[in-house]
Amino acid sequence: DSGVTQTPKHLITATGQRVTLRCSPRSGDLSVYWYQQSLDQGLQFLIQYYNGEERAKGNILERFSAQQFPDLHSELNLSSLELGDSALYFCASSVNPIGGGGLAGNTEAFFGQGTRLTVV
Amino acid sequence: SQKIEQNSEALNIQEGKTATLTCNYTNYSPAYLQWYRQDPGRGPVFLLLIRENEKEKRKERLKVTFDTTLKQSLFHITASQPADSATYLCALEVGSARQLTFGSGTQLTVLP
């Protein structure tokens, strides 16, 4: 158990709908990351937050948005869903922000079990 | 552009042998590189981190090397076991914001 909790584990929804994925980071971790993994695809970085502020953005679609709340949990909102959005969505957390040359010894990322989104 | 490439999509080896996986990167000089293991349908699990000033790092049956001249990291699993079968991912910071970016992974199968 990584200590990162993602809900829900599975989500089936129709095209055009909007969903919210939730992530609770490990206790004490200030950084949260969201990744998308489509079938037979690698992990694609979406967005990163550190202590409530957006720190880095990857190839995240405009239909997608995220935020990190004062209690450090994060939500990823996916709207106007398309069939191609079906994927595993992972959240990860770390104590220090990975990026910007952090050299602390604890810069590894801890991943949740993911939310499997199926758009039908 | 910056790229992370892992040597092959799939690697099959016999139990007891040493598995060697390769991660190459271009157009970047990372301060460190990480290796993760991912089982089907599950989140990646951190294995090892090696810094640019470290040539080699070991953890039990795992060994990682980091050659910043060749821009390459090798990941070795000695005395491999069927339970080592999984996809192994390398990751490093890339991009202007230096976000943690993963290679596409190598699927390792250890045959009994």
Side-chain angles (χ1 to χ4, degrees), chain A residues 35 37 43 45 56 90 99-105 107-109 111-113, chain B residues 31-32 34 36 38 41-44 46 49 51 89 93 97-100 102:
Chain A
Y35 287 84
Q37 188 172 43
L43 282 161
F45 171 76
F90 288 106
L103 293 175
T107 48
E108 61 264 33
F111 282 78
Q113 291 304 299
Chain B
Y32 57 79
Q34 303 182 19
Y36 289 76
Q38 185 175 25
R42 302 182 73 84
F46 172 79
L49 179 153
R51 303 189 188 286
L89 306 162
E93 298 176 352
R98 303 183 71 175
Q99 61 265 26
L100 189 64
F102 288 80

Side-chain angles (χ1 to χ4, degrees), chain A residues 21-77:
Chain A
L21 312 183
R22 184 187 168 99
C23 170
S24 294
R26 289 191 323 156
S27 177
D29 284 359
L30 300 179
S31 282
V32 168
Y33 316 80
W34 285 98
Y35 287 84
Q36 179 193 56
Q37 188 172 43
S38 304
L39 192 64
D40 297 328
Q41 295 289 314
L43 282 161
Q44 301 297 314
F45 171 76
L46 295 178
I47 198 163
Q48 175 188 352
Y49 284 86
Y50 176 70
N51 204 19
E53 293 192 5
E54 182 183 304
R55 187 179 175 90
K57 221 170 193 179
N59 294 325
I60 186 168
L61 299 172
E62 285 191 12
R63 300 183 285 109
F64 296 1
S65 65
Q67 55 183 327
Q68 186 180 27
F69 295 87
D71 67 352
L72 302 177
H73 91 271
S74 178
E75 292 181 357
L76 178 67
N77 300 297

Side-chain angles (χ1 to χ4, degrees), chain B residues 3-49:
Chain B
K3 275 187 180 179
I4 306 170
E5 293 179 340
Q6 295 193 238
N7 59 327
S8 60
E9 287 190 6
L11 178 65
N12 296 335
I13 64 165
Q14 210 64 39
E15 183 176 5
K17 301 293 186 184
T18 296
T20 299
L21 285 64
T22 305
C23 177
N24 295 295
Y25 56 93
T26 58
N27 298 326
Y28 194 66
S29 298
Y32 57 79
L33 186 146
Q34 303 182 19
W35 283 89
Y36 289 76
R37 166 182 174 144
Q38 185 175 25
D39 291 286
R42 302 182 73 84
V45 175
F46 172 79
L47 296 175
L48 281 167
L49 179 153

